[in-house]
Amino acid sequence: MRIVLVGPPGAGKGTQAAFLAKNLSIPHISTGDLFRANISQGTELGKRAKSYMDAGNLVPDEVTIGMARDRMAQADAEGGFLLDGFPRNVGQAEALDGMLRGEGVALDAVLDLEVPEDEVVKRIAGRRVCRNSSAHVYHVVYTPPKAEGVCDECGGELYQRDDDSEETVRKRLEVYHTQTEPIIDYYKAQGLVVTISALGKVAEVTARAMEALQVDEAAQG
Ligand code: AP5
């Protein structure tokens, strides 16, 4: 399957993507994670992206689209993928359509995670991420690690993202409403959008997502 996950910052896209990608046996491709990996490796792309991310703005399309295209061209994404954080504006959505058309394939669904803004703020304020793997995400209240500051999965150090400060989160939400939300209408016009509530326990949201995507139990990995 080829799926786009959309929702405000802190909606739980990364959390859900980890479970959905495993269930559907497709790679989880997060442009935010790709940027953060480039930043920690000190690449030119990472240096360029960091100032935009720290300010809560989108990284320019000419950087982002090429990076997403390169990742989607890797062998593991041949049979499908779950995109998290891309596309993030209508220009990126049009570029993605062009890439897929060129390959003779198409998206199957756009999964839209709905969460009230006050919940998003609480989720981001308590988020802690493992330095070893961005797939290991915790929340100090909702999904705490067994030992404070230590990843249950690999023992890595948990940290708070630089762009999770209150001021930057406010900017990221504004950018989401003005630049990213319009892609929902763009995809509605193609009949691709399924909207679910992302409230409730993580496993409940995953079950809701699988049902909304109408995934046959037998097709699950
Ligand atoms: P990105 O990394 O994509 O950030 P985001 O979209 O703002 O989303 P988040 O990662 O903040 O939240 P999430 O929805 O994944 O929530 P999570 O699962 O962690 O992008 C960062 C930046 O990179 C952008 O601002 C931009 O600068 C740049 N960028 C990235 N892609 C780009 C693009 N295409 N174009 C241009 N620029 C781009 O969950 C949040 C917290 O809630 C966690 O603590 C989690 O444990 C908790 N939680 C999750 N689910 C639940 C639940 N059901 N109940 C209780 N708690 C929960």
Side-chain angles (χ1 to χ4, degrees):
M1 288 184 93
R2 292 178 181 81
I3 302 168
V4 167
L5 205 49
V6 68
K13 299 182 297 297
T15 302
Q16 289 305 323
F19 292 105
L20 293 173
K22 196 167 167 219
N23 283 350
L24 299 168
S25 303
I26 49 177
H28 166 204
I29 299 179
S30 155
T31 41
D33 287 350
L34 291 172
F35 284 133
R36 281 183 287 277
N38 273 279
I39 290 170
S40 64
Q41 287 155 20
T43 68
E44 281 309 312
L45 190 150
K47 283 179 198 151
R48 180 131 190 241
K50 188 167 175 15
S51 59
Y52 294 96
M53 292 173 76
D54 285 351
N57 287 314
L58 297 187
V59 180
D61 285 357
E62 76 255 24
V63 179
T64 307
I65 292 169
M67 180 183 75
R69 181 188 287 119
D70 289 349
R71 177 61 188 89
M72 280 186 277
Q74 289 176 19
D76 65 339
E78 213 172 285
F81 46 71
L82 180 59
L83 292 179
D84 160 12
F86 181 85
R88 229 175 171 98
N89 59 30
V90 171
Q92 292 181 11
E94 287 168 348
L96 176 62
D97 274 354
M99 285 179 222
L100 297 177
R101 243 191 334 268
E103 297 293 318
V105 295
L107 289 176
D108 295 291
V110 173
L111 184 64
D112 168 29
L113 298 185
E114 250 183 11
V115 194
E117 207 144 299
D118 57 343
E119 175 66 13
V120 155
V121 170
K122 281 188 215 156
R123 286 186 184 184
I124 291 185
R127 169 167 50 195
R128 300 292 181 271
V129 186
C130 176
R131 286 218 185 265
N132 295 337
S133 169
S134 53
H136 306 158
V137 181
Y138 299 85
H139 189 282
V140 291
V141 177
Y142 300 138
T143 51
K146 292 192 183 93
E148 195 185 326
V150 181
C151 178
D152 292 351
E153 308 270 338
C154 68
E157 182 202 356
L158 302 183
Y159 77 106
Q160 189 160 24
R161 273 171 41 180
D162 290 345
D163 61 348
D164 277 353
S165 70
E166 201 186 320
E167 191 192 345
T168 310
V169 169
R170 259 201 302 274
K171 178 67 186 172
R172 283 161 61 202
L173 280 166
E174 179 201 318
V175 168
Y176 176 74
H177 292 310
T178 55
Q179 299 189 47
T180 306
E181 262 179 355
I183 72 169
I184 297 177
D185 280 339
Y186 175 88
Y187 284 126
K188 272 187 182 161
Q190 299 181 25
L192 287 171
V193 177
V194 278
T195 301
I196 62 163
S197 162
L199 286 176
K201 294 206 171 90
V202 171
E204 288 167 2
V205 180
T206 310
R208 219 174 278 149
M210 294 296 280
E211 199 186 332
L213 292 170
Q214 296 180 313
V215 179
D216 184 352
E217 291 286 323
Q220 295 179 29

